[in-house]
Structures are given as structure tokens and as C-alpha cells.
Amino acid sequence: MSAAPKQGIARLLARGGIAAPLALAALLWAVFVLPHASDYVVRVLTVAGTYALLALGFGFVFGQAGALSLAQGTFMGVGAYVSGILAVRWGVPFDAALPASIGLPVLLALIAGVPVLRLQTHYFALATLLIGQVVLLIAVQWESLTGGANGIGGIPGLSLFGWPLHSRLAALLLVWAFVAAGGLLAWHLGRGRLGIAYAVLRGQPVAARAIGIDTGTLRLLAFLLSAGYAGLAGSLYVRAIGVLSPDILGFPVMVTCLTIAVVGSRRRVAGAILGAVLIVELPEWARFLRDDYLLAYGCILLLVIVAIPEGLTETADRWLARLLPPPPRPLPAPAPLPTAHVSPRGETLLEVSGLVRRFGGVRALDGVSLDLHGGEVLGLIGPNGSGKTTLVNVVTGIFPPDAGTVRFAGRDIAGLAPHRIARLCIARTFQTAALAPDLSALDNVAIARDAARLGFWRALRARGTEKAAAEAEAMGLLVRMDAAAHALAPAGTLPPGIARRVEIARALAVRPRVLLLDEPAAGLNEEEQADLARRLRTIAAEGVAIVVIEHNMPFLAPLADRLICLDRGRVIAAGLPDAVTSDPRVIEAYLGTPRAVAS
Amino acid sequence: MPISQLLLGVLALGAAYALIALGFVLILNATGAVNFSQGDLVMAGGFGAVALGQALHWTGLALLPALLVGMAALGVVLAVLTYLPLRRRPPEAVFISTIAFGIILQNLANRLFGAEPLAAPSLLGAGRVRFAGVNASLQSLATIGVAALLIVALHVMFTHTQTGRRLRAMAQDRDVALAMGIPVDRMVVGTFAVAAALAGGAGLLLSNVFFVTPTSGGEYMVKAYIAVVIGGWGSIAGAVAGALLIAAFEVIYPSIPLLVPALLPWSDTAFSQTTSTIMLDAAVLLILMLRPQGLFGERVRQRP
């Protein structure tokens, strides 16, 4: 009799994870307990709501983009100051002040973010820390506007469309309505291909750019969103509390936000909300902690990052998934990828001339020139350190050249950003397969198809059909590379041989006209090598120009139409495979001079 | 004010900052992670000196060995709590765990010593020394001496002992060091101990003149971080140079009106301590944007 509801609950838990029972508990609490709650409880929960918004915003920059910003508290403080000052000095109500109190933190993030987001993690953390320090000092110093160290009291409360919300309960409901809306937006943005793109950006930043993802813009988007949420949180906070003080710009607010994000799980909407309620309520539950709440936060932060670094909700979901395995995701039916542009066989696609690239004193490329034509397979050989991979890196924009030109279909592409080059239909693989480890093979491939179609507005309007089409075409590519059996496995768990084939499928999702493969046959047995060579041949037959870096001659010689041998950054031989492999200079480069061998 | 007096001030402050920055960069090189509690270790050293001074009534110099040993022990605790459990996770995890550790230290200090500023005992006494027209406090001279001694001791350890060579090998390439049979984890714990001792020594030196409060660590952390960034990420000599540069800025910038009397009317505004900090932060932000490799560092080009 009870089997059906039990199954229903199990299905709900398996699909929605821990978020479902949490939401149910919150709903029950709101209906049965909240109407009788004391003013004090309502007030604390209102504050918890503002911190939930703050942490939801932090999830974009810290969770999605993976950048440890230490300015999230600062953006909240700026929002609070803008709203509070507008209210006290010019009588602007809460909602009319919103554009400014959200806009100014976003503007600050835009000004700071463009140069600072290029920086690596540790520099970015310092830069955001310094921005916070400067803002705090200015707020304390500019007494005539901000009230200096004392701040400003008597900030009028929340209001909506000219109606002041006098009751605390109404204020609480408004704050939590914003949390619900903010949470919904964050969930919607994170679940689609934008979320997948962020996972690639975090896990494989170089590969992300090489498949056409504009990582700089995505990082900036995350930073701006985080600042916007923080500005909203700050303007709600200052109106709910009624006092503006420089404490809101201090480091403890940042620590609280970080603790919430780490405890709750940094990429989960439910995590940000649960974390905020737990962390903000904690000093109220454990009264003895009230003076030492930061001590408790420090201990909790340390404990969680050491014991369950994924945070509560993600860890709970993992346990749940073990108890109640979710229904397997249905495999999409494979569909062919519409080809973008078929190059006539023999058309010159890539012309490299006089390419120079230095690393310190070493000339990794020392005047390399070559042509590549549609439909041909060019083998690139040479001893270790001869510049093969550097050549691919320069052609694909990972490194700008120091001199020389790279022309693609007649257009100079030297020095373009990697994602722009990828979008011109130049794809590559890496020496060690660079797939985002947490994503399935299918997602890794599907995102490459959509890399040029990412962004805030597109993600907002995203529909399921678009995703289904991407997955079907990605499935088609996996079938083509004989990796379909592994479509749903996390890429980090794939054996190297499979990972390579998935990576080639991902490169094909870019719809390449030029395909550069860095040691695709490494680690494959002879049968697999022959199979790979056949598949590459059919790709070339469609007009794609393929460059294969290899040491493995039995694999390369029958596959390649031409060979080029590099040594110390120079082309030392070029031509038909047999001619190049028997060229004495090539043999010398690989084996050393006869004298060197003798000694 | 004579220039030589200013320079002495720069050297004394810079020497203390250098100790903090050295600890920071040692941990950075050993683990690839930022120790965000480095400033709070300075604070802990300051309070340690205060407590030892109250208990023993010795001069700071006499307290120094005991303080260094105690701080090294705290460094071991730091490593065991914040680094060892996270050594296989991305460096950002250690960044966060050391933030947590710093918060814990701050609030423990607040519990034990209160929020009022306290002064650590001076190194040798409160006297002043006159030579060559310079009127120098004994404290600043002794500060330079002690810091120089610690830096030289560190240098000797790095270049002349087996442990030092192992530490350098580990800093260059962890995996290779492990393959060579160097006990990497033990070396890392040792690095934390050395870094904490250096920070504690700096705490003793700084807390006599500038006092110590539970929250004074944040400033020192930022300065160590800045010193390592402008000196070139991971460069030991660069960290010392960066520390001296920061000290020079902090000592000289507010003194500009004293050197150029025409600017005296602005000494409380454009040349205040706050403005000085803002200017320093802005300068560092500019450096980060224009030369992310640091002022002295060569642009490092890594293969992806």
C-alpha cells in the first residue's frame, strides 16, 4: 500500500537530491512556525536571507569561475553604502535606490575585473583583497558623505512601490522573495551549457580556449553577477538593519561569506541558502558563542574544508546517490553534425611563414614555414624539444609568435586569441588529453559545438531542445570515434586511449577545417592505431586538413601524405614520407651524429 | 629630519617585514599555496613576546630564542591542521584553510589578551644611540641586527646544510624531490615551523614600537603578500627587496611634507597614514595589471 509513495519519495530524492527535502522542510517551517516566530527570530532570518544572496552571488565567481575573490564582502558593503546614503541624504526609497545600489558594485567589478581577472588565482585574490582595503579606507575617510568610522544611523526601512514595509515579517518575506528569485536565476544559469562551459574553464582552462570558449568574458560575467548579487544583498541588509557602519566592508563579512560557500557547497543554490541559515543562525543557537562567533566560523571553515571539502549539500547528494542511484540518463540518439564548410581538396588552408617563438634565451621556433592543404594529412616529426608542440601552440594562439605570420584561408591569424582562432574552425588536441574531468565525455564534446554560443542572455533564454540537439550531435561524433560506449562516464575516469578518442571527437565538434593532433596514437596498441588511422583518413577525405605530431613511424608513415621534420625550431626536411625518413639530417636529428653515437 | 634617519627607519621596518615575507615565500615555494595566516603568526609572536615579558621580565633579546621555539611549534600545528590533510587538493584549499587558521588565532588572542593594544618588551632597552649625526633608537638598531642575524642564519641553513638543500630541491620540483627519496611531508612541516618562527621573531620586533592587537595581523599579511608579488612570485631575494621597498614607501611617503615644507598644509590629508596605505595599494594594483611577473621578476613563460 505504501509502496507507491515510497517510490515517489525515492524518485524525488534521486532526482532533486538533498535540495528536495530541504525545500520541503523550509516550506513546512514557513507555514507552521514562522507566523508564531518572535520578532528576534524574524530579524535574524532576514539577515540570513541577505547573506544567502551574498553567497549565491559568490557562487558565480568562486564556484563557477573558480576564482577566489576576496572582494565579495566589499561589493555588499558598496551596495549597502549606496542604498543607505541615498536614503539618508536624498530620501530615496529602497526600490528606487536599487539600480544604483546594484549598479555601482557591478561598475566597480567591471573596472577592476577587466585587468584583474587575467591574473592567476593568487594574484587575483590579492588584487581583490587590496580593492577591498582601499574601499574600506575611503569609506572611513570620507566622513562628510559616509559618516566615517561611526557610520550613519536611522536608515529608513524596506519599501516597495512607495509602500513602506513596517512589519518585520513583510521585510523578511521581501528579502526571501529576492533570495528565491536570485536562487532561481543562479540555478537556471548553472544547469545549462553555461554551467558546463564553466566546468571546462575550471578544469582545463587552456583547452577551454582551444575549443572556442571565451574564458575571459565568462570570468568577467561571473564576477559581475557576483557583484550584482552582493550589491542587492547589501542594500537589503542596510535597510533591514537600519544602521550603516564600515563593519560591512570589513574582512569578517568576507570570512562569513566564504564560510557559507564552503560549508554549503560552492556551486549549489541549496548550499548557499542552507549555509547562510546555518552560519548566520549559529551564534543564536549556541548563545555561548555570541562573542566568539568568528572563532566558531574559523573552526567550522577549517573542519569543513579538511573533512568534507565539497560542502554539506554536495556531500549529502553523493551519499544519497550511493543509497538511491539516480535513474541512468538516457543516451541521446546519435545525429550527424552539419558540416560548416567543405574545403575543396587541395585548397591552401594554412600558410605559416618565418615563425619565431622564444622562451627566455631558447628559440623554440626559429623561422618555421609550411603550407597545409585541404584534405591532406601532414605528419610533423622531430626529436623531443624540437618545437612541434610549440608550433601547434602558436598556430592555435596559446602563445603569440615573436615574429612571422600565420595565414588561415588568406587571413592573418597570428596573435589572435585562442578562442577566436578556434571559432575560425581550427581545432586541436593536446599531448595529454585535456578533458574536463568532472564532466561526462558527452558534455565535453557537446560544449565544443556550442562554445561560440555562450553568454548571459543566451543562457537566460536556453531551452531543452537546443541542449538535446547538441547532445545528439555530440553522440554522433562519439560514435564516429568509437567512444559512444563511454558517453556518460566522467572524463576523468576514462582510460587514456578512450580519452584521446573523446578529445578528437571534441575537436571535431568545433567543425574544423584544420585539425591539429598532438601525439594521438600514444599509448594505443597496433590494432587501435590502425583503427585510428582509418578514422583520420575519412576525416581528411571530407576536406579537413590534418596535422599529426607523432614519433610513431609505423602509424604515421602510411597515414601521412607528407612529412615535415623539425629540429631545434627549424624545418630540416620536408616531403614524401619515405624521402623524409631516409634523409640523413633527419636520422642525425633523431639519433645524433655518428661521432656522438660512437662516444 | 636628516635623510640618514629616515633610511634607518626604512631599514628597521623593512628588516622586520622581510622576515614575514620570507616565511610567506618559503611556504609558497614548498607547497605552492599561500599561507594567509602569516600575518596572524606575527600577531601571535607579538602576544607571545608580551606574555613571556610579563612572566619573566627579561629583555626582548633574551626572550627571542624561547619565542622562536614556541612559534616553530605553532608552525607545526599550522602545517598539521591546514596543509597535510589538503596536500593533494588544489592550492586554493590551503589558502582557505589558512584563512580559517588565522581567524582562529585572532579570536583566541582576543580571548586571552583582549582587544587593547599591548607592547612587547624592547630588545635591549629604551635608550638612544648617537653616531655620525644620527640619533637612533636602540630598538631600531637592534631590530636591524636581529633581523639580519635571522636572515643570515636562514641563508646558511639553505646553502650549507643537507636539510636546506632538500628544502630547495623540494621547492623546485616536489615530485622529483619525492622520487629522490626526500621526505617531502616532513620537509613541508619543517618549512611551516621555520616560517612561523620568522613571523614570530618579526612580531617581537614590531610589537614594541607599533603595539599588538588581535587584528594587527591582517596588515602584515597584506604586506608580506605584496612584498612577494612585487619581488617576483617565489623569489626569496625578491621578497626581501619587496619588503624593503614597502617599508621605504611607508616611512618616506608620510614624511614628504617634512622634507618639502611647502607641502606641510596637506600633511594630514594627502600625506596621512591612510592616504599612504591607499597609495601603496593602488600602486600594487597597477603593478599587478602592468607587470604581473613582479617588478624584478622575469616574465616566466610556461608550457600549458
Side-chain angles (χ1 to χ4, degrees):
Chain A
M1 171 199 111
S2 64
K6 233 187 218 166
Q7 260 183 3
I9 290 171
R11 199 177 307 147
L12 191 69
L13 280 174
R15 287 249 168 116
I18 196 73
L22 283 176
L24 187 66
L27 192 69
L28 290 175
W29 190 92
V31 170
F32 292 108
V33 184
L34 184 59
H36 314 291
S38 71
D39 251 16
Y40 185 75
V41 168
V42 170
R43 194 182 153 91
V44 173
L45 265 181
T46 309
V47 172
T50 64
Y51 271 95
L53 273 171
L54 183 70
L56 279 171
F58 195 49
F60 288 109
V61 65
F62 178 57
Q64 299 290 357
L68 181 53
S69 163
L70 295 176
Q72 186 68 0
T74 305
F75 292 138
M76 179 179 186
V78 172
Y81 265 90
V82 171
S83 189
I85 289 170
L86 284 176
V88 171
R89 309 253 183 247
W90 290 283
V92 182
F94 162 77
D95 43 359
L98 265 188
S101 47
I102 293 176
L104 200 72
V106 172
L107 187 68
L108 185 62
L110 184 66
I111 295 168
V114 170
V116 158
L117 277 164
R118 287 180 310 153
L119 301 172
Q120 286 170 340
T121 316
H122 295 330
Y123 291 161
F124 177 69
L126 175 64
T128 49
L129 186 69
L130 292 180
I131 290 166
Q133 189 173 20
V134 170
V135 171
L136 172 62
L137 288 172
I138 290 174
V140 173
Q141 207 66 1
W142 197 349
E143 263 194 72
S144 57
L145 184 71
T146 64
N150 297 323
I152 304 173
I155 311 263
L158 289 163
S159 60
L160 209 54
F161 308 119
W163 294 90
L165 304 179
H166 289 301
S167 95
R168 289 208 182 284
L169 200 58
L172 173 102
L173 292 176
L174 179 66
V175 167
W176 279 91
F178 274 113
V179 174
L184 202 64
L185 177 63
W187 174 76
H188 182 67
L189 291 178
R191 80 192 168 119
R193 58 184 169 198
L194 195 59
I196 293 174
Y198 277 119
V200 182
L201 179 158
R202 283 194 309 274
Q204 293 288 352
V206 177
R209 304 174 75 197
I211 59 172
I213 295 176
D214 182 355
T215 54
T217 301
L218 287 196
R219 281 203 186 91
L220 184 64
L221 171 64
F223 199 44
L224 297 183
L225 280 167
S226 74
Y229 273 66
L232 173 62
S235 64
L236 287 166
Y237 179 85
V238 72
R239 302 284 183 146
I241 292 289
V243 182
L244 187 60
S245 123
D247 288 347
I248 185 86
L249 289 164
F251 200 62
V253 173
M254 186 63 235
V255 170
T256 307
C257 176
L258 184 64
T259 308
I260 291 170
V262 170
V263 168
S265 293
R266 56 193 78 168
R267 278 182 290 280
R268 299 288 171 105
V269 170
I273 295 171
L274 176 71
V277 172
L278 287 181
I279 293 299
V280 174
E281 288 277 343
L282 180 77
E284 315 302 328
W285 288 333
R287 291 282 167 141
F288 64 93
L289 282 175
R290 298 204 53 184
D291 294 328
D292 291 307
Y293 74 97
L294 274 172
L295 181 62
Y297 288 2
C299 294
I300 291 171
L301 182 58
L302 186 57
L303 197 72
V304 170
I305 194 91
V306 167
I308 44 167
E310 271 82 36
L312 288 178
T313 50
E314 212 174 310
T315 308
D317 277 345
R318 192 161 297 171
W319 286 346
L320 261 181
R322 209 168 296 164
L323 280 173
L324 305 163
R329 188 172 148 188
L331 271 175
L337 184 71
T339 36
H341 186 110
V342 179
S343 313
R345 207 175 156 79
E347 179 195 9
T348 305
L349 284 177
L350 201 63
E351 295 164 89
V352 172
S353 78
L355 214 54
V356 175
R357 171 67 200 194
R358 285 180 289 265
F359 292 101
V362 182
R363 281 175 168 250
L365 295 179
D366 194 5
V368 171
S369 302
L370 58 86
D371 299 343
L372 189 63
H373 313 282
E376 77 168 334
V377 178
L378 174 68
L380 195 56
I381 62 171
N384 286 327
S386 59
K388 304 181 299 292
T389 298
T390 303
L391 178 62
V392 170
N393 283 339
V394 172
V395 167
T396 53
I398 310 273
F399 302 132
D402 290 316
T405 57
V406 181
R407 302 184 76 80
F408 170 71
R411 174 180 172 191
D412 189 6
I413 60 165
L416 280 186
H419 69 270
R420 296 206 178 284
I421 293 178
R423 289 177 192 183
L424 292 172
C425 304
I426 298 179
R428 68 170 292 179
T429 63
F430 292 83
Q431 213 165 342
T432 42
L435 300 167
D438 301 333
L439 293 179
S440 67
L442 187 68
D443 285 340
N444 264 294
V445 177
I447 192 62
R449 168 198 181 268
D450 290 332
R453 285 175 272 181
L454 298 166
F456 178 72
W457 300 112
R458 283 175 188 274
L460 214 54
R461 285 173 294 152
R463 287 186 202 292
T465 48
E466 188 70 21
K467 193 179 170 193
E471 288 185 353
E473 289 173 18
M475 197 63 197
L477 292 173
L478 285 174
V479 169
R480 183 159 191 197
M481 290 313 297
D482 193 23
H486 305 269
L488 297 182
T493 64
L494 296 176
I498 308 290
R500 270 174 202 290
R501 280 188 266 164
V502 172
E503 204 191 17
I504 296 173
R506 177 176 71 175
L508 292 176
V510 175
R511 299 180 208 206
R513 298 174 67 191
V514 171
L515 179 59
L516 304 128
L517 306 173
D518 199 345
E519 300 195 15
L524 304 187
N525 64 32
E526 275 177 38
E527 204 175 314
E528 290 168 332
Q529 286 174 19
D531 177 66
L532 177 65
R534 265 196 308 279
R535 290 171 199 273
L536 293 181
R537 266 274 147 232
T538 61
I539 293 166
E542 289 167 11
V544 178
I546 302 181
V547 175
V548 181
I549 296 181
E550 258 311 333
H551 291 294
N552 182 344
M553 282 306 150
F555 167 70
L556 191 58
L559 171 65
D561 299 305
R562 282 191 299 144
L563 284 188
I564 285 186
C565 181
L566 288 183
D567 185 35
R568 282 174 243 171
R570 292 169 185 271
V571 176
I572 56 166
L576 294 173
D578 287 347
V580 170
T581 47
S582 56
D583 188 310
R585 282 167 303 179
V586 174
I587 295 166
E588 185 188 317
Y590 264 97
L591 299 177
T593 58
R595 189 185 303 172
V597 170
S599 62
Chain B
M1 192 187 324
I3 299 283
S4 50
Q5 194 124 1
L6 272 184
L7 285 182
L8 195 72
V10 169
L11 220 53
L13 191 63
Y17 285 174
L19 294 180
I20 312 171
L22 275 174
F24 186 94
V25 80
L26 287 180
I27 292 182
L28 176 69
N29 286 348
T31 68
V34 163
N35 171 24
F36 205 83
S37 64
Q38 186 71 6
D40 296 305
L41 293 174
V42 178
M43 177 272 298
F47 277 118
V50 169
L52 282 174
Q54 283 170 353
L56 300 173
H57 301 287
W58 292 356
T59 61
L61 198 58
L63 298 175
L64 187 65
L67 185 71
L68 293 182
V69 171
M71 287 301 298
L74 184 61
V76 172
V77 173
L78 172 66
V80 169
L81 287 181
T82 69
Y83 172 72
L84 288 185
L86 296 172
R87 68 202 142 166
R88 296 196 209 298
R89 299 194 55 84
E92 154 224 282
V94 176
F95 199 118
I96 294 169
S97 67
T98 55
I99 290 181
F101 189 81
I103 294 290
I104 293 170
L105 277 187
Q106 278 175 35
N107 289 280
L108 282 180
N110 196 29
R111 259 283 161 101
L112 294 171
F113 297 95
E116 291 303 308
L118 297 174
S122 62
L123 282 168
L124 292 171
R128 296 191 80 79
V129 182
R130 284 171 188 280
F131 66 90
V134 180
N135 180 352
S137 74
L138 204 53
Q139 175 71 13
S140 55
L141 288 177
T143 297
I144 298 171
V146 168
L149 196 75
L150 289 174
I151 293 174
V152 168
L154 191 69
H155 181 74
V156 169
M157 189 200 67
F158 265 121
T159 50
H160 284 78
T161 70
Q162 187 65 13
T163 308
R165 274 188 284 269
R166 287 172 159 184
L167 282 172
R168 281 190 298 158
M170 186 187 64
Q172 275 182 18
D173 194 322
R174 223 189 115 84
D175 294 334
V176 171
L178 194 62
M180 307 270 279
I182 295 176
V184 165
D185 284 344
R186 221 186 306 158
M187 289 290 127
V188 173
V189 173
T191 306
F192 273 85
V194 170
L198 291 173
L204 170 69
L205 304 180
L206 289 164
S207 303
N208 174 247
V209 183
F210 300 105
F211 300 98
V212 55
T213 69
T215 52
S216 52
E219 280 298 302
Y220 296 130
M221 203 292 304
V222 173
K223 276 160 199 165
Y225 209 145
I226 294 176
V228 173
V229 164
I230 61 181
W233 199 239
S235 155
I236 290 181
V240 175
L244 285 169
L245 257 182
I246 295 170
F249 188 89
E250 285 189 346
V251 171
I252 292 172
Y253 185 83
S255 313
I256 289 175
L258 297 176
L259 302 170
V260 187
L263 297 174
L264 267 177
W266 290 282
S267 59
D268 287 340
T269 51
F271 295 97
S272 70
Q273 207 64 52
T274 309
T275 319
S276 164
T277 309
I278 293 176
M279 299 296 274
L280 178 65
D281 290 354
V284 175
L285 282 171
L286 263 181
I287 291 172
L288 277 175
M289 290 165 195
L290 301 176
R291 278 187 69 86
Q293 69 275 32
L295 278 185
F296 312 119
E298 209 208 323
R299 183 183 286 270
V300 180
R301 287 169 159 179
Q302 268 185 331
R303 288 174 154 220

